[in-house]
Amino acid sequence: MRQALKQAQKAFDQEEVPVGCVIICDGKVIARAYNKTEQKDTQCAHAELLALQKAGKKIGNWRLLDCWLYVTLEPCAMCMHAIRLHRLVGVVYGADSPLFGYQLDNKAFDSLYKYDTLEVISGVLQKESGNILKQFFKKRR
């Protein structure tokens, strides 16, 4: 998660919402990314989606069966669907997202896909993850 926080700092430094993500497979980081929605002018440039693309290229397969995704902010529904479709083992996130977090649509996740053994762990380095977001939005106001 500390590596994901480093990615979030890169986003912060580039005036992007500071969300960072890493994907770990077999104990090694295979992808790193941070939000680039402003830079790329698209919501499809969330840290999680960029990291999933990089990880697939790195291992030569879209199925990330033995991988874990670490992200500083609770994934939105779009990202969580993509994570599930990529068939990761699990997601670890820091801060909750009461405005856009996937849990807002949690009922739909219960039965949407046949393949759904995704483990979700929340609150890892929650304070640090939340602090960088608070600093960012305080600076913008």
Side-chain angles (χ1 to χ4, degrees):
M1 185 59 86
R2 294 213 183 275
Q3 290 189 41
L5 281 165
K6 287 180 184 178
Q7 294 298 307
Q9 185 62 52
K10 289 181 181 183
F12 183 95
D13 293 344
Q14 293 185 21
E15 298 185 9
E16 294 276 358
V17 174
V19 177
C21 181
V22 297
I23 297 179
I24 309 285
C25 195
D26 297 324
K28 296 179 184 174
V29 175
I30 62 166
R32 294 175 177 84
Y34 56 88
N35 268 0
K36 292 185 178 181
T37 56
E38 299 297 332
Q39 178 183 339
K40 295 186 178 268
D41 295 320
T42 179
Q43 284 295 312
C44 294
H46 285 195
E48 300 95 322
L49 298 180
L50 297 173
L52 289 167
Q53 291 173 9
K54 289 179 180 181
K57 285 182 181 179
K58 175 79 174 183
I59 67 170
N61 194 333
W62 63 267
R63 293 173 190 87
L64 303 175
L65 298 173
D66 297 320
C67 301
W68 281 80
L69 183 142
Y70 291 76
V71 64
T72 56
L73 182 65
E74 176 186 354
C76 68
M78 173 180 67
C79 290
M80 190 56 102
H81 281 293
I83 290 164
R84 288 187 175 193
L85 288 170
H86 279 84
R87 300 184 182 158
L88 283 90
V89 175
V91 174
V92 177
Y93 69 86
D96 290 330
S97 179
L99 296 177
F100 300 108
Y102 83 95
Q103 293 185 71
L104 297 171
D105 298 323
N106 205 18
K107 298 269 186 225
F109 282 89
D110 291 341
S111 61
L112 188 57
Y113 301 113
K114 289 182 197 174
Y115 181 87
D116 196 12
T117 58
L118 184 71
E119 186 174 344
V120 178
I121 300 169
S122 63
V124 176
L125 295 181
Q126 183 174 16
K127 184 176 180 180
E128 294 90 333
S129 296
N131 282 345
I132 193 168
L133 287 159
K134 287 176 187 171
Q135 289 174 1
F136 176 80
F137 288 110
K138 185 176 181 181
K139 178 180 164 184
R140 301 231 2 173
R141 292 185 185 130

